Amino acid sequence: MVRDLEAFKAWLIRCGAEILAPTSMWEVLRVRTFSGVHVVHRNRKGRQRWPDGLVEIADLFLDGGNPALSPTARTRRSSHLRQRYPVLRARDGAGCFYCGSFVPAPDDAYLPDYEPTVEHLVPIAHGGPNHLSNTFLAHKRCNNIAGNLSAVEKITLREKMREAKNGQ
Ligand SMILES: [Zn+2]
């Protein structure tokens, strides 16, 4: 994990990301990148909660990478997503893990809410592995709704979303 937050922030800025003002005392970091706005929260005990999207970016930082993170660099999808999308689609089909609707390929035209993401069933922030067995395709919107829920809560959410859809 990132130990030197100031060095991480400086690196984010060098890579084109925008550091935004925190909106509450519980926000340790709020940053806008090509993959959206990511927020690191801390709890009363000082424990930090990192969203998966930012964990992926932090991995690049820890590896000494120099990616283009600018919010306008929308064509630069993460190589992780490009690699995983065809593999996950071949394994599970192109349905979103949550809502079951079609998830477009990284380079296809799409509405921002329906952008493809790689969902970690057990969040990386909770010690989940980045292994294929822990990953699924999901819309950005659905992935955001799930946030940092536990695996059990995610499966409950998936059932609810599919029920709601079938009830329409
Ligand atoms: Zn979905």
Side-chain angles (χ1 to χ4, degrees):
M1 216 356 87
V2 174
R3 291 180 195 281
D4 187 344
L5 200 62
E6 291 310 310
F8 181 52
K9 279 188 199 172
W11 176 86
L12 286 169
I13 293 166
R14 278 203 306 280
C15 293
E18 287 172 32
I19 305 293
L20 306 175
T23 63
S24 82
M25 63 178 288
W26 305 108
E27 291 186 14
V28 176
L29 173 64
R30 173 176 282 264
V31 59
R32 181 183 287 135
T33 72
F34 71 94
S35 58
V37 174
H38 304 288
V39 182
V40 178
H41 288 101
R42 68 174 175 85
N43 67 15
R44 274 169 222 283
K45 291 177 182 161
R47 229 184 123 92
Q48 293 181 3
R49 202 167 245 233
W50 285 62
D52 286 354
L54 194 58
V55 169
E56 286 176 14
I57 289 171
D59 280 346
L60 300 173
F61 165 69
L62 296 170
D63 289 346
N66 187 29
L69 299 178
S70 157
T72 55
R74 299 190 66 82
T75 53
R76 297 245 190 165
R77 304 275 157 213
S78 80
S79 59
H80 180 246
L81 175 63
R82 283 175 193 286
Q83 269 174 19
R84 285 282 165 98
Y85 181 89
V87 179
L88 293 173
R89 184 168 172 167
R91 186 189 69 185
D92 302 331
C96 170
F97 175 74
Y98 292 106
C99 71
S101 298
F102 179 73
V103 180
D107 294 311
D108 289 353
Y110 44 71
L111 298 166
D113 279 357
Y114 295 91
E115 279 180 29
T117 60
V118 174
E119 167 68 328
H120 294 81
L121 184 58
V122 181
I124 292 176
H126 293 185
N130 196 17
H131 187 262
L132 205 57
S133 63
N134 188 41
T135 56
F136 298 87
L137 286 178
H139 296 119
K140 185 174 182 178
R141 179 198 65 161
C142 300
N143 200 335
N144 284 344
I145 293 169
N148 272 332
L149 296 178
S150 70
V152 173
E153 289 166 332
K154 283 181 179 176
I155 289 174
T156 306
L157 174 67
R158 168 191 160 104
E159 284 165 4
K160 278 194 189 142
M161 285 176 81
R162 291 186 174 221
E163 266 171 33
K165 198 178 147 204
N166 292 335
Q168 275 171 8

